[in-house]
């Protein structure tokens, strides 16, 4: 009997040991890696299996969930002795990133290498590669890797965008045949709208590192900033006809990226090249992928002291197998092999240079405290709009940028509005960012008025200075000083509590103010809005002020006062009660200049004709910023709207020409509001009833075309004279128009194309540019001429309805806060 029990225990123990053994991806999945695309739940299960099987070498961290509930996780892999003191390694690394620590022995501090995969969902090879790399590093079978991990900690994030990747994988797996079809015209290579690239809300997560508007970015960057690696690689795919790309990067390279960071990219690149040369694989460096825009997976780490790099494998829409333009067949297994080689190479070269990496990392942050980068030492952002100032403070905090409020200081500095040196004085709630701090480079990159650009052939926008983005008055000073207070000084939301006022007044001028209006309307409270400034009880109120009259509401709304106060506290917005409608300036409250605001019933057009990114920005803004639930309709159905169900239709950037018909114009005549954004305007040009006209470039009489200055060696570059990758323009507003409430006389927009329109002869020219409107960014000579004057924001009456024309995107990537005020005005304000 004892022998039987002993045998059973030995057998059970053997089974447990076998179950705990590290399985290769092929063994775990039941198919050879690269034979199928693996859904995210299986990837997550594989990472969990490895962590259970190898607890002394692997630590799994689940750092969040996606919008669709999929897990976000990283695996941390290192030698046993390092995993045993992993928390100490992490905290020591953070000490080094303060720039002020001398207690950490950098020779004993492993370098942290962070590998990020699949930020774009349809670049689907990356996650497959992550499983292979995890197995190779954790199995103990690769002797070289075992040695690397003695002085290196590797963090693997297998999929930054699980929702987008599963959208692609589920589609592909549903249409692929028994044998993959390598013909590029086969349906398995053609994704349906919106494609797998973006996340659930159709955002490009590789443009969101600094802004952190999306759930995945917020959670990932919180973890990233708790580790602050020395090396970060962002694994991507590009067209399947392209060879492999790895660093060093192309110009423009931001001037705050250090010589060491640039030189180590070369070191890594040469190590990668060694393996590619040995295998006979093609690659390119120093082309196309630059280091400027601060919200990429390579630049954001670089601006935070890391060696940030992008690796690009050919493979988008390649499926499991595709024939390239060269006649070669590219397989998923090929793509995995290439990404695997650069991943292993990067760990190797980081291990070989661990001491130098740690020395330079420490030096980087120490230098930020001693000699901050850039021409300016202090940025002063005026408290001209408290709501938007709070939003700016939130962004700085998420990025660990230090700031304070208020300083008894006068001086001279660069005025972002006038673009000249001007006198300034600071007030109690002004936000002060002193650049002498550990995150000096990132702070300077985000706040500097003008970004120095060495090459116009950049991959993204060239201007993003935060005072323009948030629509706040600001100065940049060459003098170093700091704020005095940790927090804003704001009045209690109900500081003048009156039991039975004539009316309650709320300010208007931010996305939160639109939230106040929506919350009040959801309580069936009638809300009026002043279309002129007024003064009552000795206090001035601007046009746009929201007014809740007690008597017209209390008969139908029980607990009116409590509900008004609750909304004020929910949004932390001041509400002021007044006892008389007799105003000292302006018009009395019985006047028709205080209309009741209607609740918008909003629909957004979607589908193949629509930019998925533009659609996503609008959808996300309405759902997350405003807590609204818009109707999502197909673009082909815009002629079938019921005015009782939809009174506001948004057409994001897209091509709708074939759908602009009698049904839509009939809906407009009944009182609909049509909002046309960017290229959607092109769809109504020359259409009956639509008054918008494109402004064409003026050609002088007898003017001969200039001969081309483009050299053959630059044939792959854009003609700089016609370049506008993304620049900031000051739009001069009709300050009296409701669309300008909370903005004043001008608004800063991001201009990414040459399109501009003729001012209306009939209609409202709300926003126009002139020859002094360019504020920041790269704009070619020809484009500057074309954009010297014209209309960017207009509105025309159409029967009982309105058509709104927005030549630029006010919701750009959801971080353009000033644009949210404009868009809120368009949705809610009447005229």
């Amino acid at each position: 009997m004892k022998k039987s029990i002993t045998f059973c225990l030995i057998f059970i123990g053997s089974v447990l040991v076998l179950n705990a053994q590290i399985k290769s991806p092929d063994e775990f999945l039941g198919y050879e890696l690269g034979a199928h695309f693996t859904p995210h739940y299986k990837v997550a299960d594989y990472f969990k299996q490895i962590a259970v099987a190898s607890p002394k070498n692997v630590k799994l961290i689940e750092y969040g969930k996606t919008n669709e509930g999929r897990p976000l996780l990283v695996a941390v892999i290192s030698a046993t002795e390092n995993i045993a003191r992993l928390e100490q390694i992490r905290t020591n690394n953070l000490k080094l990133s303060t720039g002020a620590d001398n207690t950490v022995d950098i020779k004993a501090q492993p370098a942290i290498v962070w590998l990020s995969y699949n930020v774009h969902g349809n670049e689907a090879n990356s996650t497959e590669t992550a499983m292979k790399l995890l197995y190779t590093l954790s199995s103990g079978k690769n002797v070289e890797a075992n040695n690397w991990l003695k002085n290196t900690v590797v963090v693997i994030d297998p999929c930054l965008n699980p929702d987008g990747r599963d959208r692609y994988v589920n589609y592909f797996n549903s249409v692929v045949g028994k044998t993959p079809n390598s013909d590029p015209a086969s349906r398995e290579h053609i994704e349906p709208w919106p494609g797998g690239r973006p996340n659930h809300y159709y955002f490009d997560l590789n443009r969101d590192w600094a802004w952190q508007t999306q759930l995945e970015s917020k959670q990932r960057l919180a973890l990233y900033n708790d580790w602050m690696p020395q090396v970060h690689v962002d694994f991507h795919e590009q067209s399947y006809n392209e060879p492999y790309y790895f660093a060093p990067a192309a110009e423009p390279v931001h001037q705050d990226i250090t010589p060491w960071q640039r030189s180590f990219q070369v070191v890594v690149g040469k190590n990668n090249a060694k393996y590619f040369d040995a295998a006979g694989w093609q690659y390119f460096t120093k082309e196309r992928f630059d280091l400027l825009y601060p919200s990429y997976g390579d630049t954001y780490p670089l601006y935070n002291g890391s060696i940030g790099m992008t690796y690009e494998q050919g493979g988008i829409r390649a499926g499991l197998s595709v024939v390239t333009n060269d006649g070669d067949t590219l397989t998923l297994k090929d793509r995995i092999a290439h990404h695997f080689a650069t991943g292993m190479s990067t760990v190797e070269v980081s291990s070989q240079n661990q001491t130098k990496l740690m020395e330079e990392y420490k030096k980087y942050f120490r230098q930020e405290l001693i000699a901050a980068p850039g021409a300016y030492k202090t940025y002063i952002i005026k408290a001209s709009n408290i709501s938007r100032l709070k939003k700016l403070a939130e962004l700085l905090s998420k990025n660990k940028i230090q700031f304070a409020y208020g300083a008894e200081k006068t001086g001279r500095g660069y005025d972002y509005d006038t673009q000249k040196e001007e006198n300034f004085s600071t007030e109690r709630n002004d936000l002060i960012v002193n650049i002498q701090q550990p995150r000096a480079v990132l702070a300077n990159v985000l706040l500097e008025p003008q970004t120095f650009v060495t090459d116009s052939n950049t991959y993204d926008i060239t201007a993003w200075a935060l005072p323009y983005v948030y629509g706040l008055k600001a100065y940049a000073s060459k003098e170093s000083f700091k704020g005095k207070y940790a927090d804003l000084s704001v009045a209690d939301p109900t500081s003048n509590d009156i039991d039975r006022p004539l009316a309650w007044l709320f300010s208007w001028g931010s996305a939160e103010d639109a939230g106040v209006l929506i919350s009040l309307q959801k309580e069936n409270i009638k809300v009026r809005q002043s279309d002129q400034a007024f003064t009552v009880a000795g206090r001035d109120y601007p046009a746009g002020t929201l007014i809740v009259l007690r008597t017209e509401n209390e008969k139908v709304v029980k607990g009116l006062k409590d509900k008004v106060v609750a909304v004020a506290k929910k949004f932390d917005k001041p509400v002021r009660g007044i006892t008389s409608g007799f105003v000292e300036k302006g018009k009395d409250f019985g006047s028709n200049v205080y209309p009741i605001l209607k609740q918008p019933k909003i629909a957004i057009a979607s589908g193949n004709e629509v930019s998925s990114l533009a659609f996503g920005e609008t959808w996300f803004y309405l759902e997350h910023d405003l807590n609204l639930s818009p109707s999502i309709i197909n673009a082909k159905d815009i002629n079938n709207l019921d005015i009782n169900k939809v009174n506001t239709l948004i057409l994001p950037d897209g091509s709708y020409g074939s759908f602009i018909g009698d049904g839509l114009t009939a809906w407009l005549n009944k009182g609909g509001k049509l909002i046309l954004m960017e290229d959607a305007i092109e769809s109504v040009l020359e259409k009956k009833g639509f008054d918008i006209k494109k402004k064409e470039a003026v050609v002088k009489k007898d003017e001969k075309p200039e001969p081309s200055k483009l050299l053959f060696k630059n044939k792959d570059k854009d003609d700089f004279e016609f370049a506008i990758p993304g620049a900031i323009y000051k739009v001069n507003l009709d300050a009296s128009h409701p669309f300008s409430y909370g903005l004043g006389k001008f608004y800063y927009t991001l201009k990414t194309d040459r399109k501009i329109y003729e001012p209306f002869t009939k209609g409202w020219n709300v926003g126009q540019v002139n020859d002094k409107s360019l504020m920041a960014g790269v704009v070619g000579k020809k484009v500057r001429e074309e954009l010297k004057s014209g209309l960017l924001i207009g509105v025309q009456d159409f029967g009982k309805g309105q058509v709104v024309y927005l030549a630029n995107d006010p919701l750009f990537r959801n971080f353009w806060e000033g644009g949210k005020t404009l868009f809120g005005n368009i949705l809610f304000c009447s005229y």
Side-chain angles (χ1 to χ4, degrees):
M1 183 69 176
K2 288 182 179 179
K3 289 182 179 179
S4 298
I5 293 172
T6 302
F7 173 79
C8 287
L9 290 173
I10 292 171
F11 175 76
I12 292 169
S14 299
V15 170
L16 290 173
V17 169
L18 286 172
N19 285 340
Q21 287 179 345
I22 295 176
K23 295 181 179 180
S24 70
D26 297 3
E27 293 169 329
F28 183 84
L29 297 171
Y31 53 81
E32 186 180 359
L33 200 64
H36 301 281
F37 283 112
T38 309
H40 187 70
Y41 79 92
K42 286 187 178 180
V43 176
D45 286 347
Y46 181 68
F47 269 61
K48 292 172 184 176
Q49 185 268 335
I50 292 289
V52 169
S54 185
K56 293 183 179 180
N57 296 98
V58 180
K59 178 179 175 61
L60 194 69
I61 302 172
E62 185 170 328
Y63 63 86
K65 292 188 182 299
T66 68
N67 288 288
E68 297 176 18
R70 294 180 176 88
L72 296 164
L73 48 86
V74 299
V76 185
I77 312 102
S78 195
T80 301
E81 59 271 22
N82 292 331
I83 294 296
R85 63 184 187 100
L86 189 62
E87 181 60 15
Q88 181 188 18
I89 291 171
R90 186 188 70 82
T91 55
N92 280 349
N93 203 58
L94 290 182
K95 287 179 182 178
L96 292 174
S97 71
T98 66
D101 185 85
N102 287 312
T103 64
V104 177
D105 180 2
I106 57 175
K107 291 184 179 180
Q109 178 72 8
I112 300 174
V113 178
W114 191 301
L115 307 176
S116 293
Y117 295 90
N118 241 129
V119 69
H120 293 145
N122 62 356
E123 299 173 13
N125 137 51
S126 300
T127 293
E128 309 291 334
T129 305
M131 290 189 283
K132 183 175 182 178
L133 196 79
L134 173 65
Y135 172 72
T136 304
L137 294 178
S138 62
S139 66
K141 295 179 180 180
N142 188 306
V143 176
E144 287 184 315
N146 295 341
N147 289 327
W148 301 339
L149 293 175
K150 290 178 182 179
N151 67 354
T152 308
V153 171
V154 179
V155 182
I156 298 178
D157 189 329
C159 189
L160 279 64
N161 181 11
D163 292 348
R165 186 175 189 275
D166 267 5
R167 188 186 306 127
Y168 171 78
V169 169
N170 291 337
Y171 169 74
F172 183 88
N173 288 343
S174 73
V175 299
V176 68
K178 182 179 179 181
T179 302
N181 191 325
S182 299
D183 181 358
S186 177
R187 67 172 180 168
E188 64 203 66
H189 300 293
I190 304 170
E191 294 176 78
W193 191 91
R197 179 183 176 93
N199 75 340
H200 174 81
Y201 280 101
Y202 307 170
F203 272 70
D204 185 336
L205 294 180
N206 195 41
R207 306 297 191 274
D208 195 45
W209 279 72
W211 320 131
Q212 298 171 47
T213 69
Q214 297 302 290
L215 181 62
E216 297 90 343
S217 304
K218 291 175 183 177
Q219 295 172 114
R220 184 180 72 256
L221 268 298
L223 182 70
Y224 183 94
N225 281 307
D226 274 345
W227 284 82
M228 294 289 285
Q230 280 70 50
V231 176
H232 179 269
V233 180
D234 195 17
F235 288 84
H236 285 261
E237 291 193 273
Q238 55 188 325
S239 165
Y240 56 73
N241 291 308
E242 299 288 347
Y244 201 98
Y245 163 83
F246 47 75
E251 291 289 342
V253 175
H254 195 282
Q255 61 186 355
D256 287 348
I257 293 173
T258 67
W260 154 252
Q261 289 174 314
R262 297 183 68 154
S263 67
F264 196 73
Q265 283 201 346
V266 176
V267 172
V268 176
K270 287 182 177 180
N271 207 58
N272 291 342
K274 176 179 67 176
Y275 293 102
F276 272 59
D277 289 341
W281 297 335
Q282 290 182 309
Y283 59 90
F284 67 97
T285 66
K286 301 182 289 292
E287 294 182 61
R288 193 177 307 153
F289 301 102
D290 61 79
L291 298 175
L292 190 70
Y293 176 68
S295 209
Y296 284 141
D298 51 12
T299 51
Y300 185 87
L302 279 161
Y303 298 145
N304 280 286
S306 180
I307 307 299
M309 295 173 289
T310 291
Y311 294 168
E312 295 266 359
Q313 162 66 41
I316 294 176
R317 297 189 293 115
L320 296 178
S321 169
V322 72
V323 176
T324 69
N325 287 346
D326 293 335
D328 296 326
T329 299
L330 176 69
T331 68
L332 178 57
K333 292 178 182 179
D334 296 331
R335 292 149 61 194
I336 292 170
H338 301 162
H339 262 348
F340 177 75
T342 55
M344 290 291 285
S345 168
T346 302
V347 176
E348 176 190 41
V349 75
S350 298
S351 173
Q352 292 169 348
N353 291 274
Q354 174 266 339
T355 300
K356 184 64 173 174
L357 277 168
M358 299 311 301
E359 288 174 349
E360 292 292 337
Y361 185 81
K362 180 177 181 179
K363 177 182 174 182
Y364 180 93
F365 290 101
R366 179 157 293 181
Q367 186 68 19
E368 292 194 320
L369 297 183
I370 298 170
Y376 301 107
K377 305 306 178 188
T378 309
Y379 293 99
I380 306 98
I381 298 92
K382 303 293 289 180
S384 50
N385 184 297
I386 291 294
S387 293
R388 293 204 292 269
L389 192 74
K390 286 180 179 179
K391 286 287 188 181
L392 174 58
E394 289 176 13
L395 179 73
L396 297 177
S397 295
K398 283 188 288 190
N399 287 293
K400 308 298 182 183
I401 294 171
Q402 299 169 4
F403 61 91
Y405 297 97
E408 296 173 359
K409 181 69 181 174
T410 60
R412 286 182 66 79
Y414 179 91
D415 185 323
Y416 283 70
D417 292 337
T418 66
Q419 298 182 297
K420 298 176 182 177
E421 289 286 317
E422 306 278 8
N423 293 327
F424 69 83
S425 60
T426 58
E427 298 173 284
R428 169 61 180 84
N429 283 336
D430 294 345
L431 190 151
I432 314 292
V433 179
N434 185 281
I435 294 299
Q436 195 169 342
Q437 59 167 294
R439 302 296 174 101
V441 169
L442 182 62
N444 187 64
V445 168
L446 295 180
L447 289 164
E448 62 186 347
Q450 300 282 345
T451 300
F452 178 70
V453 181
T454 58
D455 190 327
S456 67
N457 208 50
T458 180
Y459 206 64
D460 212 282
I461 64 173
T462 58
W464 50 79
L466 293 182
Y468 295 132
V469 171
Y470 284 77
L472 295 168
K473 182 75 175 176
Y475 298 90
S477 173
K478 294 180 180 179
E479 185 179 353
S480 179
F481 62 91
K482 296 182 178 181
K484 294 176 61 176
Y485 307 99
D487 299 303
L488 284 166
S489 175
V490 293
D492 184 274
T494 55
S495 58
N496 73 325
D497 190 19
I498 298 172
D499 190 46
R500 289 177 60 79
L502 174 83
W504 291 276
L505 308 183
F506 288 89
S507 64
W508 181 268
S510 70
E512 286 77 15
D513 298 329
V516 168
L517 172 61
I518 293 164
S519 295
L520 291 170
Q521 289 179 331
K522 284 182 177 179
E523 295 287 354
N524 295 317
I525 296 172
K526 294 178 181 177
V527 183
R528 295 176 179 270
Q529 188 172 47
S530 64
D531 70 8
Q532 296 180 16
F534 63 92
T535 301
V536 64
R539 185 180 291 269
D540 295 330
Y541 294 90
T545 299
L546 300 180
I547 301 164
V548 177
L549 293 174
R550 178 177 56 79
T551 53
E552 74 176 358
N553 281 291
E554 65 183 356
K555 292 180 181 179
V556 293
V557 180
K558 293 183 179 180
L560 175 63
K561 177 189 172 184
D562 291 340
K563 290 178 178 180
V564 170
V565 171
V567 168
K569 290 184 176 179
K570 175 184 176 181
F571 290 92
D572 194 25
K573 300 292 294 185
V575 57
R576 183 164 293 275
I578 59 170
T579 57
S580 174
F582 186 87
V583 304
E584 291 109 63
K585 293 181 182 178
K587 295 187 177 181
D588 297 328
F589 281 10
S591 171
N592 62 3
V593 301
Y594 303 100
I596 295 175
L597 297 179
K598 294 189 299 183
Q599 296 185 45
K601 301 171 185 177
I602 303 170
I604 317 171
S606 66
N608 290 331
E609 301 77 17
V610 186
S611 160
S612 61
L613 297 178
F615 168 85
E617 291 168 354
T618 309
W619 179 26
F620 185 82
Y621 166 75
L622 294 173
E623 282 203 354
H624 282 258
D625 287 74
L626 301 185
N627 199 29
L628 293 174
S629 298
S631 297
I632 310 298
I633 66 172
N634 288 319
K636 60 183 174 59
D637 294 327
I638 62 175
N639 287 291
N640 303 319
L641 300 176
D642 182 343
I643 192 66
N644 296 308
K645 295 180 179 179
V646 173
N647 59 24
T648 303
L649 173 64
I650 302 171
L651 300 188
D653 185 26
S655 179
Y656 305 87
S658 60
F659 301 134
I660 306 298
D662 293 341
L664 181 63
T665 56
W667 173 83
L668 277 165
N669 281 317
K670 291 176 183 177
K673 180 185 287 183
L674 175 63
I675 302 172
L676 300 168
M677 302 177 70
E678 300 183 274
D679 275 0
I681 297 174
E682 304 289 298
S683 302
V684 302
L685 293 174
E686 309 301 328
K687 298 277 186 179
K688 185 178 179 181
F690 295 90
D691 296 338
I692 194 75
K693 289 182 173 59
K694 197 169 183 178
K695 185 171 185 178
E696 303 295 346
V698 177
V699 179
K700 296 178 182 178
K701 189 177 180 180
D702 300 326
E703 182 180 17
K704 294 181 180 180
E706 293 183 13
S708 173
K709 298 177 183 177
L710 187 64
L711 299 177
F712 182 78
K713 67 178 182 179
N714 297 325
K715 63 183 183 300
D716 295 326
K717 291 191 173 186
D718 295 330
D719 187 344
F720 175 66
E721 290 194 338
F722 293 95
I724 180 167
I728 296 173
Y729 273 75
K730 178 190 281 189
V731 181
N732 299 299
L733 298 176
D734 172 359
S736 68
H737 196 279
F739 291 0
S740 301
Y741 292 164
L743 294 170
K745 296 180 179 180
F746 52 83
Y747 154 70
Y748 294 110
T749 190
L750 186 72
K751 191 82 177 115
T752 57
D753 62 32
R754 300 159 56 189
K755 294 185 177 71
I756 194 163
Y757 299 90
E758 294 285 356
F760 289 119
T761 54
K762 293 181 180 179
W764 305 104
N765 298 309
V766 180
Q768 302 181 67
V769 292
N770 58 32
D771 59 356
K772 296 181 181 178
S773 286
L774 176 59
M775 306 303 291
V778 170
V779 181
K781 178 182 175 182
K782 296 291 187 183
V783 181
R784 288 191 186 210
E785 287 295 320
E786 294 172 357
L787 298 181
K788 272 189 172 181
S789 66
L791 181 72
L792 294 182
I793 305 168
V795 58
Q796 70 164 97
D797 293 333
F798 199 114
K800 294 181 180 178
Q802 301 167 4
V803 182
V804 180
Y805 302 94
L806 296 173
N808 300 329
D809 180 7
L811 303 176
F812 185 77
R813 295 177 185 167
N814 199 248
F815 79 90
W816 209 268
E817 285 293 328
K820 293 179 184 179
T821 299
L822 172 67
F823 206 74
N825 290 342
I826 292 168
L827 289 176
F828 298 103
C829 299
S830 302
Y831 73 88

